[in-house]
């Protein structure tokens, strides 16, 4: 039997940040991953993730998002690696757009610098956008995107430097609950721990099957890269084009196209990265394949071209990525019922990466301390409890 006070299972976007946060506190910690992060077989690849503070998903994310910006800057100065690009984020939507309404209300409530823009002014400033007639915009100039591969590598670098031990290419098979403490089992080895943190992304339910009520369903999401037509390259560069999300009723109630401009030092394929934030295809995460579905590529090009007439040539590259959807699309961060020394952080439902540095700190607090940090209470497991009959 081997002993490590704290074990982090899964070192992707969130687990790498947790590992760094714990190691920074001088606590002995072991991180284990079945692959060798950063890799492109989970949820934290594809070269960019939007980060914004005027958050529409739930007001309690806003202070966390604001703190996340500082976390990324700290990580950059600790490692000399560029993670954060503040090219601004433009959201557009019609009169009934909840995305726009809730983002505006978050901006007002929390004093986030954000500018409401009527469609005509929007067209003057960014002539490449042709959003629907009844759309308006909200532009957050301090927002932008973070680079997931760099973020994961930087967090692992900090963790290593601070003395964390890291095992890669090792799959955890089970977490046994002993009388005194949990035991992590992998490759015939058994590690006793005082605290275990499960940040296994789309594989979390395999290790914690009891979390059925939180769902944690793996879904496949396609992302594509488009170049501009010749001569319009500058219009898709981050110096001219912000990151964007177009909340168009035509895409259905819970889906929207988003894009991240091309930029200097881009990781992965060139061009604008385009995705659709909305329901994905459920799958076994071991079956993730990157081969694009030609029908999906054609649909992306056809539909996105309506917002950018004549700007893009058809996608030249595509990848798949995993969302882990919780029942209500909010994160799941809590102690696991019946396993007081095991913390779960999963179900990031397609919007978790931006928070990695701040969640790393809060999850470390939770694993090393007693109470659930107050600002994470809206993400706890009790929200899935069955209502009690009177
Ligand atoms: C297409 C796409 C676009 C997105 N856009 C945004 C965005 O714009 N902004 C944003 O903030 N977020 C975005 N997200 C969401 C964000 O990327 C995820 O929420 C975040 O990356 C989740 O990180 P994770 O650590 O939970 O999972 P992962 O990064 O997948 O990490 C899980 C790790 O656990 C390891 N693992 C699993 N099982 C085991 C085991 N048994 N033993 C050992 N290791 C194990 C895996 O190998 C993996 O490395 C997007 C996601 C996708 C897919």
């Amino acid at each position: 039997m081997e002993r490590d006070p704290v074990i982090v299972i899964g070192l992707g976007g969130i687990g790498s940040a947790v590992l760094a946060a714990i190691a920074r506190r001088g606590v002995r910690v072991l991180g284990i991953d079945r692959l060798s992060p950063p890799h492109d077989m989970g949820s934290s690849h594809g070269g960019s993730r939007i980060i914004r503070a005027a958050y529409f998903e739930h007001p309690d994310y806003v202070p966390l998002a604001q703190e996340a910006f500082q976390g990324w800057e700290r990580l950059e100065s600790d490692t000399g690696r560029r993670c954060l690009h503040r090219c601004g984020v433009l959201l557009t939507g019609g009169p009934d757009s909840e995305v726009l309404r809730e983002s505006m209300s978050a901006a007002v409530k929390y004093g986030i610098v954000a500018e409401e823009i009527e469609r005509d002014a929007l067209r003057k400033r960014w002539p490449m956008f042709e959003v629907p007639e009844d759309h308006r915009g909200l532009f957050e100039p301090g927002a932008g995107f973070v680079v997931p591969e760099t973020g994961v590598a930087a967090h692992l670098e900090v963790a290593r430097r601070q003395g964390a031990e890291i095992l890669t290419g090792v799959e955890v098979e089970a977490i046994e609950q002993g009388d005194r403490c949990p035991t992590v089992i992998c490759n015939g080895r058994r590690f006793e721990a005082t605290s275990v943190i499960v940040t296994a992304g789309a594989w979390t339910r395999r290790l914690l099957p009891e979390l059925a009520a939180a769902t944690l369903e793996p879904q496949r999401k396609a992302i594509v890269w488009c170049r501009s037509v010749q001569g319009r390259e500058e219009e898709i560069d981050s110096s001219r084009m912000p990151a964007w999300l177009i909340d168009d009723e035509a895409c259905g109630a819970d889906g929207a196209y988003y894009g991240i401009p091309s930029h200097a030092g881009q990781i992965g394929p060139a061009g604008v990265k385009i995705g659709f934030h909305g329901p994905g295809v459920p799958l076994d995460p071991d079956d993730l394949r990157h081969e694009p579905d030609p029908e999906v590529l054609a649909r992306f090009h056809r539909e996105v071209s309506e917002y950018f007439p004549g700007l893009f040539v058809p996608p030249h590259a595509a990848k798949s990525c995993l969302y882990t959807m919780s029942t209500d699309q909010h994160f799941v961060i809590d102690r696991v019922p019946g396993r007081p020394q095991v913390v779960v952080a999963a179900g990031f439902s397609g919007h978790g990466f931006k928070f990695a540095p701040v969640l790393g700190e809060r999850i470390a607090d939770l694993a090393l301390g007693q109470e659930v940090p107050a600002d994470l209470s809206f993400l706890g497991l009790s929200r899935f409890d069955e209502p009690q009959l009177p």
Side-chain angles (χ1 to χ4, degrees):
M1 180 75 73
E2 300 168 66
R3 282 207 168 76
D4 266 286
V6 183
I7 297 181
V8 181
I9 303 173
L11 304 177
I14 306 300
S16 61
V18 176
L19 194 76
I22 294 174
R24 269 192 186 119
R25 297 172 194 203
V27 174
R28 239 184 78 215
V29 59
L30 167 68
I32 306 175
D33 201 287
R34 65 202 286 271
L35 298 173
S36 185
H39 58 76
D40 67 357
M41 296 307 290
S43 302
S44 304
H45 59 275
S48 50
R49 292 291 184 270
I50 291 179
I51 178 167
R52 57 198 154 80
Y55 223 63
F56 57 82
E57 288 86 340
H58 189 297
D60 290 357
Y61 286 113
V62 178
L64 294 169
Q66 290 176 306
E67 199 179 323
F69 281 95
Q70 295 161 22
W72 288 114
E73 281 167 353
R74 176 185 178 193
L75 187 63
E76 288 186 335
S77 71
D78 283 353
T79 61
R81 299 180 191 238
R82 181 157 188 209
C83 302
L84 174 63
H85 296 247
R86 292 185 188 260
C87 60
V89 173
L90 174 67
L91 308 176
T92 84
D96 298 328
S97 165
E98 201 182 310
V99 167
L100 218 54
R101 191 177 57 246
E102 294 304 320
S103 302
M104 283 173 182
S105 118
V108 170
K109 181 168 174 199
Y110 289 95
I112 298 159
V113 177
E115 200 184 324
E116 286 185 57
I117 308 182
E118 295 305 328
R119 186 174 182 275
D120 287 349
L122 190 156
R123 294 271 296 127
K124 265 199 198 115
R125 190 147 156 198
W126 296 288
M128 64 291 244
F129 282 85
E130 175 81 54
V131 294
E133 289 289 336
D134 62 349
H135 273 215
R136 305 163 64 214
L138 182 75
F139 180 59
E140 187 183 330
F145 61 92
V146 283
V147 182
E149 292 86 347
T150 311
V152 170
H155 275 129
L156 292 179
E157 180 187 325
V158 168
R160 265 194 202 96
R161 225 195 277 150
Q162 299 290 334
E165 195 188 335
I166 295 177
L167 289 179
T168 56
V170 174
E171 179 160 1
V172 171
E173 289 139 30
I175 308 163
E176 272 178 10
Q177 186 58 42
D179 290 341
R180 282 184 314 111
C181 60
T183 301
V184 170
I185 300 166
C186 44
N187 273 357
R189 293 169 76 178
R190 298 173 67 83
F191 297 89
E192 251 186 14
T194 52
S195 183
V196 173
I197 299 136
V198 182
T199 42
W203 291 264
T204 299
R205 281 277 306 281
R206 288 210 188 146
L207 293 170
L208 299 171
E210 66 262 52
L211 299 185
T215 312
L216 306 181
E217 179 181 73
Q219 294 185 358
R220 175 181 185 224
K221 297 294 300 175
I223 36 181
V224 307
W225 284 263
C226 289
R227 291 196 178 94
S228 71
V229 295
Q230 225 176 357
R232 297 185 68 183
E233 291 79 7
E234 280 183 8
E235 292 179 54
I236 65 165
D237 186 79
S238 61
S239 56
R240 290 273 297 279
M241 178 185 269
W244 47 268
L245 180 140
I246 297 172
D247 182 28
D248 187 353
E249 278 177 347
C251 293
D254 52 357
Y257 281 105
Y258 63 87
I260 294 158
S262 76
H263 50 278
Q266 187 158 336
I267 289 185
V272 175
K273 187 181 98 176
I274 298 171
F276 184 79
H277 183 62
V281 182
L283 85 170
D284 178 327
D286 288 342
D287 292 340
L288 184 69
R289 299 283 175 272
H290 288 298
E291 293 78 48
D293 176 346
E295 207 183 298
V296 173
L297 293 193
R299 194 179 68 229
F300 266 65
H301 184 237
R302 191 178 60 246
E303 295 185 350
V304 171
S305 291
E306 297 203 0
Y307 307 129
F308 301 92
L311 181 61
F312 293 121
V313 295
H316 63 96
K319 276 215 164 205
S320 298
C321 191
L322 292 168
Y323 274 10
T324 307
M325 301 304 289
S326 75
T327 312
D328 57 7
Q329 302 189 20
H330 295 301
F331 312 159
V332 175
I333 302 178
D334 207 343
R335 291 183 192 289
V336 177
R339 307 187 193 224
Q341 293 134 305
V342 179
V343 166
V344 62
F348 290 98
S349 305
H351 62 115
F353 192 85
K354 65 180 76 59
F355 297 97
V358 62
L359 290 184
E361 293 296 334
R362 295 298 194 285
I363 295 162
D365 291 344
L366 180 56
L368 302 177
Q370 297 302 315
E371 300 295 325
V372 177
D375 54 0
L376 292 194
S377 56
F378 75 114
L379 303 173
L381 281 161
S382 63
R383 71 187 195 269
F384 304 116
D385 288 348
E386 294 283 332
Q388 299 297 308
L389 292 174

